[in-house]
Amino acid sequence: MLTDQLAPVLLEGSWLLMRVLYITGWCRSGSTMLGNVLAEAPGVVHVGELRFLWLNGVLGSGSNARCGCGLNHRECPVWSRVLEAVRPDGRTLDQHAADVVAWQDAYRTRHTWRALRNPPPPGNGWPDTLAATYRAIAEACGAHTVVDSSKFASDAALLSGLPGIEATYVHLIRDPRAVAWSWMQPKAYTGRRSALNSTLNWAGFNLAAEAVGRAHRADALHLRYEDLVRNPRGAVADILELIGSEGPNPVAADGTVELGGNHTVTGNPNRFGRGRTRIDEDRRWHTALPRSQRAATTLLALPLLRRYGYETRV
């Protein structure tokens, strides 16, 4: 049974603290895998890319719309309960989902710096919905920590101003050439991106993630995908310490983890994996990424490659 040590409790009209660990960075950096590993620690639940719950799960306008449990979100026992809990009286699920998607448009990655400088006042649609959703998730799952791998630094920037939320942050970074190669491969659950498009987004999302980390230095850490897969037990131990979890560490000494079920909104298809799983580095890009694409990506990302400690030779 999950501990309820920090589960949200309504007391005289105010919420006691619960924790949210928000993973920032750019897509194809291992956030789904990291979140599902963390969710094997007691009291921790990983919800995947929560931001897409309403677009994918209710409106059906996105891709990769099944919950990690295999059901559609409206049929899932967790998400059907959460969606109803945060739906305002007088609005249907579809009407509320359309409202949420419209509100989210004012909190995109490019708005991160504004959200950090001028936190929105109470009564703002998306921040209020986000806070209510985290509380509903914690209650539905009996968790004290919610891991959100949506990777929108603009949402991460809102967390410190949300009532009853104790926020922590992991900036997850992966070599942009590996990310570009991954985006260039056809995937059934999402579209393709060119190396140029991927790398420009990689730079923008990581710069926004850095801004959040600078604003919350004591509650944030930077983690390279490459360091995570080479020492998963050590990386997970650092994150568990960040969120104040006493463990035990779900990663075994041999770098494997026993994955159970999950209720991730969306994310990499590895979220459907179960059982004993080895955390390995995907190095196919080293030989598969064409030299021209590798050179272009290296040049575009050069300043951040150096900052993050990556090889800069083509």
Side-chain angles (χ1 to χ4, degrees):
M1 174 179 284
L2 295 178
T3 176
D4 61 356
Q5 179 183 2
L6 290 175
V9 178
L10 189 62
L11 180 63
E12 296 181 358
S14 62
W15 290 92
L16 298 180
L17 282 178
M18 57 164 289
R19 291 194 181 102
V20 173
L21 172 66
Y22 199 100
I23 300 176
T24 58
W26 178 230
C27 306
R28 310 295 176 89
S29 296
S31 61
T32 300
M33 177 265 292
L34 174 60
N36 280 349
V37 171
L38 292 171
E40 295 305 320
V44 179
V45 60
H46 175 222
V47 296
E49 298 175 14
L50 177 65
R51 186 177 173 105
F52 296 102
L53 173 62
W54 295 269
L55 181 69
N56 290 10
V58 179
L59 298 180
S61 301
S63 59
N64 199 8
R66 280 191 303 150
C67 173
C69 71
L71 297 174
N72 291 329
H73 295 91
R74 290 193 191 219
E75 301 169 351
C76 168
V78 170
W79 293 119
S80 59
R81 176 177 171 181
V82 170
L83 287 166
E84 281 296 329
V86 301
R87 177 180 62 85
D89 292 338
R91 303 293 283 173
T92 66
L93 282 179
D94 290 88
Q95 289 170 335
H96 183 231
D99 292 340
V100 171
V101 171
W103 293 334
Q104 289 174 337
D105 199 50
Y107 294 95
R108 303 185 69 82
T109 300
R110 63 180 179 270
H111 301 126
T112 300
W113 292 266
R114 183 197 66 193
L116 288 170
R117 289 192 307 267
N118 302 301
N124 190 289
W126 172 233
D128 285 4
T129 300
L130 188 58
T133 303
Y134 286 140
R135 292 194 293 264
I137 292 166
E139 183 178 352
C141 297
H144 59 65
T145 300
V146 175
V147 179
D148 184 348
S149 56
S150 297
K151 295 176 291 296
F152 276 79
S154 50
D155 288 351
L158 298 173
L159 295 191
S160 62
L162 300 184
I165 301 296
E166 182 178 281
T168 51
Y169 314 85
V170 169
H171 178 190
L172 185 61
I173 309 156
R174 189 181 184 187
D175 191 309
R177 293 156 296 201
V179 174
W181 179 81
S182 180
W183 272 112
M184 291 166 64
Q185 309 314 302
K187 301 272 197 312
Y189 70 95
T190 189
R192 297 175 65 182
R193 292 178 184 266
S194 67
L196 173 62
N197 180 283
S198 172
T199 306
L200 289 174
N201 277 282
W202 178 89
F205 272 64
N206 280 309
L207 287 171
E210 284 187 15
V212 174
R214 284 194 301 271
H216 302 285
R217 294 182 189 277
D219 302 307
L221 62 82
H222 294 265
L223 176 62
R224 299 196 318 172
Y225 162 89
E226 293 79 8
D227 298 326
L228 167 64
V229 295
R230 289 166 193 165
N231 182 15
R233 183 170 173 83
V236 168
D238 289 342
I239 297 173
L240 292 178
E241 181 179 359
L242 177 71
I243 64 176
S245 172
E246 297 180 356
N249 191 322
V251 182
D254 64 356
T256 63
V257 61
E258 184 71 27
L259 294 176
N262 66 76
H263 291 284
T264 47
V265 170
T266 189
N268 190 291
N270 64 24
R271 66 198 178 98
F272 296 110
R274 302 290 187 269
R276 180 60 57 178
T277 302
R278 179 170 296 281
I279 303 171
D280 286 324
E281 181 177 1
D282 185 348
R283 296 178 56 86
R284 289 175 291 174
W285 70 272
H286 283 271
T287 55
L289 183 65
R291 185 175 178 82
S292 60
Q293 303 286 1
R294 181 172 181 142
T297 300
T298 300
L299 182 61
L300 275 173
L302 192 58
L304 290 181
L305 280 175
R306 289 172 173 159
R307 184 181 304 179
Y308 300 148
Y310 287 111
E311 174 61 60
T312 59
R313 290 185 302 173
V314 177

